Amino acid sequence: MPFEDLINQGGRGAPVAELDIHAASEEQLMEMSAELGLSLSLDEMKSVREHFAAEGRCPTDIELQSIGQAWSEHCCYKSSKVHLKEFVFAIDHPDVIARGDAGVMAFDDEHAYALRLESHNHPSAIEPYGGAATGIGGILRDVVCMGAQPIALVDPLCFGPIDSDAPLPPGVKHPRYLVDGVVAGIRDYGNRVGVPTVSGAFFFDERYTGNCLVNVGCLGFVKRSEVLNNFVGGPGEVLILCGGRTGRDGIHGVTFASVELKESSEEEDRGAVQLGAPITKEPLMHACLEVNRKGLITGMKDLGGGGLSCVVGEMALDAGCGAVVDLDRVPLKEEGLAPWEIWVSESQERMMLATTEDKVEEIMDVFRTWDVLATVVATTVEEKRTRIRWHGEEIFDMDLDFLTGGPEYCRPYEVSVPAGEAGEKVPEIPALSDALLSLLSDPNVASKEWAIRQYDHDVRAATVLRPMVGPPNDTGPGDAGVLRPLPESHRGLATAVGCNPWFTSEDPYRGGMSAVDEACRNLVAVGARPHSLTDCLNFGNPEKPDRLGQFREAVRGLGEAAAFLGLPIPSGNVSLYNESPRAGALPTPMVMGVGIVEDVRKCVSADLKEAGNPLYVVGETGREMGGSLLYRRFGGEGGDVPQVVLESLKVKMDLLLEAMSEGMVSSCHDCSDGGLAVCIAEMCIGGSMGASVTLDALGELKAAEKLFSESNGRWVVEVAAEHEEDWQNLMGHHALWIGVAGGPSLLIGGTGMDIRVEDLKRAWSDPIWEIMG
Amino acid sequence: MAVAEIKIELKKGVADPEGQNTKKALELLGFEGLRSVRSMKCFQVDIGLEGDEALEACQEMCRRLLANPVIQSYSVELK
Amino acid sequence: MAVAEIKIELKKGVADPEGQNTKKALELLGFEGLRSVRSMKCFQVDIGLEGDEALEACQEMCRRLLANPVIQSYSVELK
Amino acid sequence: MMRPEDIRVCVLRIEGTNCEEETHRAFQAVGCDPEMVHLNQLTGHAPQASRRSLEDYDALAFPGGFSAGDYVRGGAIFAARAKSALGGEINAFVEAEKPVIGICNGFQILVELGLLPALDGPSDVPTAALFTNDSGRFECRPSYMRNESRGRCLFTRKLPRGRTVMFPVAHAEGKLMSADPRFVERLEDNDQLVFRYVDPEGRPAGYPWNPNGSEGNVAGICNPAGNVLGMMPHPERSLDPCTAPDWTRRPKKEGDGLAVFRSMVDALTR
Ligand SMILES: Nc1ncnc2c1ncn2[C@@H]1O[C@H](COP(=O)(O)OP(=O)(O)O)[C@@H](O)[C@H]1O
Ligand SMILES: [Mg+2]
């Protein structure tokens, strides 16, 4: 039978088609999957066929579409789940309040915070402005549907080199163009909805050309009594769809996110790209939070990947019931949408509320005042099935356990042994001073002020520490954003990102651990005690065993570190298939850490404060040059990737936090890219003050290794001179004296380094301005 | 010498929040019967070239910077 | 029925940072000999009126919302 | 005589207004009784119980944000909607010399409403504009400004003349412009020039201290009667000494912004 004959157009009242899946050959099953854009494999199509054989009928197009959404990598984590279960999901903590669309953690006896990090990679590679903006929109919804007010955004981003003009493969946009668009998208969405962007990161590497990564994170704040479920209260309730109208935009976004990008993606994937409408979202958030505060709703979930098709089933099934949907009621942007399009559309700015019939009028009043659309579209029922009515016909009737069950794979993976010291090639480097200036100018280190000042990091008037620290308009880099969520309390929330894709690519296990280490040391640097983590795991095609091996090892490292430190990961996100025709993106396990500050008045910033204060390094420096910026910049290869010694990290974090709470610490900065030398230089830049340093205490290493090794778990600390004795008593051998703050230059004994602070500033401040204009 | 007028429009089917919000504002101000408001970005470029050469250069600008073919279309007119 | 094209331009003497930034970006991309780039805001309004009535309504829109007379001038064309 | 807690402040918002909570908090911090009110509550497009009337309030605040997305021009849509729905009431409020403050987007709205600068009285069409920053970019940074008011503006009377304060700015359209070549001079003559951007030493200075290129470094102005203040910087973000951009270097007892709101209370309770 030819393929066309399998399709019974208008099988259940136009424009719904029925597909004769039972008569299809294997080839035709795959054709069906391709033709409908389902991205399902042959085996998956076969289990679909079995299911409908048991039901004794043929599926409709809308039913197949729904399965395509629910079973996509993006929605059901079919390749990653086994590994997450093994290393991540099991980390428990009494402060975990909810693991929903966002995780929710206890803040104090009365309040909680929500956290989530998510990717919007593929859409941003195609349309950077809209892709990034809708990424912000999506993460805000995840936080709002826990009942929480978004209070901060975090945006770690990865691009190809912006300072290179090497020819680009066809269909690939210039990294500069992408950076410009992504930053503008985050700015225009984040600033408009009034949520401060307080932290983030930029990573630049050749392997992100054609594979840019746009991760966006959000923190929310909520009374513990107002934390919401992402499911309905039970049968007999109604579902209210609110916010934007539904259109053709965003159709097949999740299946698009679950395949590799092709050269032709730009032209073909238009439907997957949207611009986002912050000014629909802003009042929508107000209205949703208001009806929650008033106790009018039983559950809330956002419409993200898969649109209605995912949200209705999941909200009902998680409460052990089903739903009957009246598809005619969904407010549309344009006429003529097929039912399946309405069902899977990913139009932005929509939320679903669950409530009981008697509350509907009061809810509508709130939405009317905010000029936001709200429409009852479904009711919940006992039986665990979803049924859809359309123009008087029933066009969809599916068992929810089957639909949202989804496959789970244990795909083959390959773990390769890191080359380590055996494969090491030590690079030729220029004079140490020139090397330092060169590292400061590397776009991975250089000032990101160009982007940071385009984001409002002060709105909501609760920002205690910003991404840049130091005297106004003369700042250096900070370590973590700190907020004071309650005006009546001095308790604070800090957030920072950790990730080293270069470590991860050479040694995924250590790379995963390093991400946790870095997030924690950023938090501790400002005086926050790490409390929870969320992650966004950006990796390549899981059907390639080496890529899946990287994924597994990184997750193992990340999970082990988090478990040891007692840090739950109550939410997260996986983004696979980050591959373009030329190569895969660097494996990038992005970690966002959240810490609690007992008293924000004791927070510490990274800028040097006072001439004469002694400087110490906390943490051991080893010969760990693998993946270091020095090697990348000057052509080194291999080498040991920095390990994480969890016991030692924990001891040092505790000691440092104690020293800070006793007021001994004047400034503190963690060592990461570029090692100790870059760390000290950045503190000088932020404080407009030099320092005299000696590295004798660091033992038997070469000068370049002492300066530029990127060993984990280290901080440079400026101690208030009057507290030095207490500090020494407290820290013992964990802190090594390395010099004194002050003077017009950074002097490092035994290395010939003597660089004026202005020169450090220029090297660090100018490059990105010059590239981005 | 030619001054080129470049017009960048959103393709059909791409939502236009700016146009929609402007339409809503105009309606609230009492303008009736509006069917649609679309926003566009326009540039007037004085380029120091003539005729086809000028056209070609402007189209190249659109392709490389001003427009994203995924969501936008462009047109160039010499004045 | 008429579709009106409304163009909001900056008055002479008003600096145009957006146009300047665009010019700079084009130059970074290697476009040479650019004398000036001016940015404008344009709207396409489908208004359900004809001729003078349509023109009049659009001009009223400019006066009441779309243009600020201190810095901007406007023009309306029916297509 | 009024007590601070009797002062009813209407903090007016629509979609996209996003600094209303901290503005509300600022009035609370100085003992007033503020309320966040949606424009629809004043125009009758809200359920009966939540409708409000502007004349019941003693002060009015237009907070910062991106009202209606600021799509056409900063503040233009909010202003046009407010004018068409309650233009008369707002004008009456101003004429009664009740205090009105517009911060950032709120300043843009007051200019678009023709209530500022109002050198020759309120006008139907705007006589000034807050245009795109010279940098062409959104600028979020600390800024210093000097109180230039000789006493006309009721929002700075508790702040010594010539005193420099620090409030953050966060805007893309903040360059104050007028067609009048004697604009700044006339503002000064009328004692309508309230705040000027300065450097940390209190001297008038260019970018980045003046973040938008405003002529004469003007950061904030009032109307001839002194009861309407518009300013681009955000005093409501400077209530808590721990949110100052340099508090880890120079701790303060309290935020600079309180003086602005206290001055208003003082003017109404005197
Ligand atoms: N790497 C991870 N670590 C922890 N939790 C994860 C991870 N990946 C996904 N999750 C959690 O799994 C759930 C489902 O994720 P997802 O389907 O992406 O959410 P959404 O409903 O927002 O699309 C969420 O609660 C998410 O936080
Ligand atoms: Mg979600």
Side-chain angles (χ1 to χ4, degrees), chain A residues 83 410-416 508 539-553 579:
Chain A
H83 309 287
C410 200
R411 298 186 193 277
Y413 61 85
E414 237 170 62
V415 176
S416 51
F539 285 79
N541 181 345
E543 297 159 46
K544 299 180 183 168
D546 61 320
R547 303 286 202 265
L548 191 59
Q550 289 178 327
F551 176 81
R552 182 185 159 82
E553 284 299 284
E579 313 240 0

Short mmCIF file of all heavy atoms in Angstrom, two decimals, chain A residues 83 410-416 508 539-553 579:
data_model
loop_
_atom_site.label_atom_id
_atom_site.label_comp_id
_atom_site.label_asym_id
_atom_site.label_seq_id
_atom_site.Cartn_x
_atom_site.Cartn_y
_atom_site.Cartn_z
N HIS A 83 21.27 7.61 34.30
CA HIS A 83 22.48 8.15 34.92
C HIS A 83 22.12 9.18 36.00
O HIS A 83 22.76 9.24 37.05
CB HIS A 83 23.38 8.77 33.86
CG HIS A 83 23.63 7.84 32.71
ND1 HIS A 83 24.45 6.75 32.80
CD2 HIS A 83 23.10 7.81 31.45
CE1 HIS A 83 24.45 6.10 31.65
NE2 HIS A 83 23.64 6.72 30.81
N CYS A 410 19.08 2.54 28.19
CA CYS A 410 20.40 2.40 28.75
C CYS A 410 21.32 2.24 27.55
O CYS A 410 21.73 1.15 27.20
CB CYS A 410 20.42 1.18 29.65
SG CYS A 410 21.74 1.23 30.80
N ARG A 411 21.58 3.32 26.86
CA ARG A 411 22.35 3.26 25.63
C ARG A 411 23.80 2.91 25.92
O ARG A 411 24.30 3.21 27.01
CB ARG A 411 22.31 4.60 24.90
CG ARG A 411 20.93 5.07 24.47
CD ARG A 411 21.08 6.34 23.63
NE ARG A 411 19.82 7.04 23.42
CZ ARG A 411 18.93 6.73 22.48
NH1 ARG A 411 19.15 5.71 21.66
NH2 ARG A 411 17.84 7.44 22.33
N PRO A 412 24.48 2.32 24.95
CA PRO A 412 25.88 2.00 25.18
C PRO A 412 26.73 3.27 25.34
O PRO A 412 26.47 4.27 24.68
CB PRO A 412 26.29 1.27 23.89
CG PRO A 412 25.25 1.63 22.88
CD PRO A 412 24.00 1.94 23.63
N TYR A 413 27.68 3.19 26.24
CA TYR A 413 28.58 4.34 26.40
C TYR A 413 30.00 3.84 26.55
O TYR A 413 30.25 2.69 26.88
CB TYR A 413 28.17 5.19 27.60
CG TYR A 413 28.22 4.49 28.93
CD1 TYR A 413 29.39 4.39 29.65
CD2 TYR A 413 27.05 3.92 29.46
CE1 TYR A 413 29.43 3.75 30.87
CE2 TYR A 413 27.07 3.27 30.68
CZ TYR A 413 28.25 3.18 31.39
OH TYR A 413 28.29 2.53 32.58
N GLU A 414 30.92 4.78 26.29
CA GLU A 414 32.33 4.47 26.28
C GLU A 414 33.05 5.50 27.14
O GLU A 414 32.86 6.69 26.94
CB GLU A 414 32.84 4.70 24.86
CG GLU A 414 33.49 3.53 24.19
CD GLU A 414 33.68 3.91 22.72
OE1 GLU A 414 34.42 4.89 22.45
OE2 GLU A 414 33.04 3.26 21.88
N VAL A 415 33.83 5.04 28.07
CA VAL A 415 34.57 5.96 28.91
C VAL A 415 36.03 5.88 28.52
O VAL A 415 36.62 4.80 28.53
CB VAL A 415 34.40 5.60 30.39
CG1 VAL A 415 35.26 6.50 31.26
CG2 VAL A 415 32.93 5.72 30.78
N SER A 416 36.63 6.99 28.13
CA SER A 416 38.03 6.92 27.76
C SER A 416 38.89 7.42 28.92
O SER A 416 38.47 8.24 29.73
CB SER A 416 38.31 7.73 26.50
OG SER A 416 37.79 9.02 26.65
N PRO A 508 36.16 14.02 32.03
CA PRO A 508 34.78 14.37 32.38
C PRO A 508 34.46 14.21 33.88
O PRO A 508 33.72 15.02 34.44
CB PRO A 508 33.94 13.38 31.56
CG PRO A 508 34.83 12.93 30.47
CD PRO A 508 36.23 13.01 30.97
N PHE A 539 25.43 18.35 26.59
CA PHE A 539 26.35 17.36 26.01
C PHE A 539 25.95 17.07 24.57
O PHE A 539 25.00 17.65 24.04
CB PHE A 539 26.35 16.09 26.87
CG PHE A 539 27.11 16.27 28.16
CD1 PHE A 539 26.53 16.92 29.24
CD2 PHE A 539 28.42 15.83 28.27
CE1 PHE A 539 27.24 17.13 30.42
CE2 PHE A 539 29.14 16.02 29.44
CZ PHE A 539 28.55 16.67 30.52
N GLY A 540 26.71 16.16 23.96
CA GLY A 540 26.49 15.85 22.55
C GLY A 540 25.44 14.76 22.36
O GLY A 540 24.62 14.50 23.24
N ASN A 541 25.51 14.16 21.21
CA ASN A 541 24.53 13.16 20.79
C ASN A 541 24.67 11.86 21.61
O ASN A 541 25.70 11.19 21.52
CB ASN A 541 24.79 12.87 19.30
CG ASN A 541 23.81 11.87 18.75
OD1 ASN A 541 23.12 11.18 19.48
ND2 ASN A 541 23.78 11.78 17.42
N PRO A 542 23.68 11.51 22.42
CA PRO A 542 23.80 10.36 23.32
C PRO A 542 23.80 9.04 22.57
O PRO A 542 24.09 7.99 23.16
CB PRO A 542 22.55 10.47 24.21
CG PRO A 542 21.55 11.16 23.35
CD PRO A 542 22.35 12.13 22.50
N GLU A 543 23.48 9.09 21.28
CA GLU A 543 23.54 7.86 20.49
C GLU A 543 24.98 7.55 20.09
O GLU A 543 25.25 6.48 19.55
CB GLU A 543 22.61 7.99 19.28
CG GLU A 543 21.14 8.15 19.70
CD GLU A 543 20.26 8.76 18.61
OE1 GLU A 543 20.37 8.31 17.46
OE2 GLU A 543 19.50 9.70 18.92
N LYS A 544 25.89 8.50 20.32
CA LYS A 544 27.31 8.24 20.11
C LYS A 544 27.91 7.84 21.46
O LYS A 544 27.89 8.63 22.40
CB LYS A 544 28.02 9.50 19.58
CG LYS A 544 27.47 9.99 18.23
CD LYS A 544 28.21 11.23 17.77
CE LYS A 544 27.61 11.76 16.46
NZ LYS A 544 28.10 13.11 16.11
N PRO A 545 28.45 6.61 21.54
CA PRO A 545 28.89 6.10 22.85
C PRO A 545 29.92 6.98 23.55
O PRO A 545 29.89 7.09 24.78
CB PRO A 545 29.49 4.73 22.49
CG PRO A 545 28.82 4.35 21.22
CD PRO A 545 28.56 5.62 20.48
N ASP A 546 30.82 7.62 22.80
CA ASP A 546 31.81 8.45 23.50
C ASP A 546 31.17 9.67 24.13
O ASP A 546 31.54 10.10 25.21
CB ASP A 546 32.94 8.86 22.53
CG ASP A 546 32.42 9.68 21.37
OD1 ASP A 546 31.32 9.35 20.85
OD2 ASP A 546 33.09 10.66 20.98
N ARG A 547 30.15 10.23 23.45
CA ARG A 547 29.47 11.39 24.02
C ARG A 547 28.71 10.99 25.29
O ARG A 547 28.71 11.71 26.28
CB ARG A 547 28.48 11.98 23.01
CG ARG A 547 29.09 12.36 21.69
CD ARG A 547 29.92 13.64 21.83
NE ARG A 547 30.07 14.29 20.55
CZ ARG A 547 31.11 14.13 19.74
NH1 ARG A 547 32.11 13.33 20.09
NH2 ARG A 547 31.17 14.76 18.60
N LEU A 548 28.06 9.84 25.22
CA LEU A 548 27.30 9.41 26.39
C LEU A 548 28.26 9.07 27.54
O LEU A 548 27.94 9.29 28.71
CB LEU A 548 26.41 8.21 26.04
CG LEU A 548 25.39 7.85 27.12
CD1 LEU A 548 24.45 9.01 27.41
CD2 LEU A 548 24.57 6.62 26.70
N GLY A 549 29.43 8.56 27.18
CA GLY A 549 30.44 8.28 28.20
C GLY A 549 30.86 9.55 28.93
O GLY A 549 30.98 9.58 30.15
N GLN A 550 31.06 10.62 28.17
CA GLN A 550 31.40 11.91 28.79
C GLN A 550 30.28 12.35 29.73
O GLN A 550 30.51 12.81 30.85
CB GLN A 550 31.55 13.00 27.71
CG GLN A 550 32.78 12.88 26.86
CD GLN A 550 32.80 13.99 25.80
OE1 GLN A 550 31.75 14.42 25.30
NE2 GLN A 550 33.99 14.44 25.45
N PHE A 551 29.06 12.19 29.26
CA PHE A 551 27.91 12.59 30.05
C PHE A 551 27.89 11.84 31.38
O PHE A 551 27.82 12.42 32.45
CB PHE A 551 26.62 12.33 29.28
CG PHE A 551 25.37 12.63 30.06
CD1 PHE A 551 24.91 13.93 30.18
CD2 PHE A 551 24.67 11.62 30.70
CE1 PHE A 551 23.77 14.22 30.92
CE2 PHE A 551 23.53 11.90 31.45
CZ PHE A 551 23.08 13.20 31.55
N ARG A 552 28.01 10.53 31.27
CA ARG A 552 27.92 9.71 32.47
C ARG A 552 29.02 10.06 33.47
O ARG A 552 28.77 10.21 34.67
CB ARG A 552 28.01 8.23 32.09
CG ARG A 552 27.88 7.34 33.30
CD ARG A 552 28.08 5.87 32.98
NE ARG A 552 28.42 5.17 34.21
CZ ARG A 552 27.52 4.77 35.09
NH1 ARG A 552 26.24 4.96 34.86
NH2 ARG A 552 27.89 4.18 36.20
N GLU A 553 30.25 10.19 32.99
CA GLU A 553 31.36 10.47 33.89
C GLU A 553 31.22 11.85 34.54
O GLU A 553 31.50 12.01 35.72
CB GLU A 553 32.69 10.40 33.12
CG GLU A 553 33.14 8.98 32.83
CD GLU A 553 33.38 8.19 34.11
OE1 GLU A 553 34.40 8.41 34.77
OE2 GLU A 553 32.49 7.37 34.45
N GLU A 579 25.47 19.32 18.77
CA GLU A 579 26.45 18.97 17.75
C GLU A 579 26.08 19.68 16.46
O GLU A 579 24.92 19.70 16.08
CB GLU A 579 26.40 17.47 17.44
CG GLU A 579 26.39 16.58 18.64
CD GLU A 579 27.58 15.64 18.68
OE1 GLU A 579 28.40 15.71 17.74
OE2 GLU A 579 27.67 14.87 19.64
#
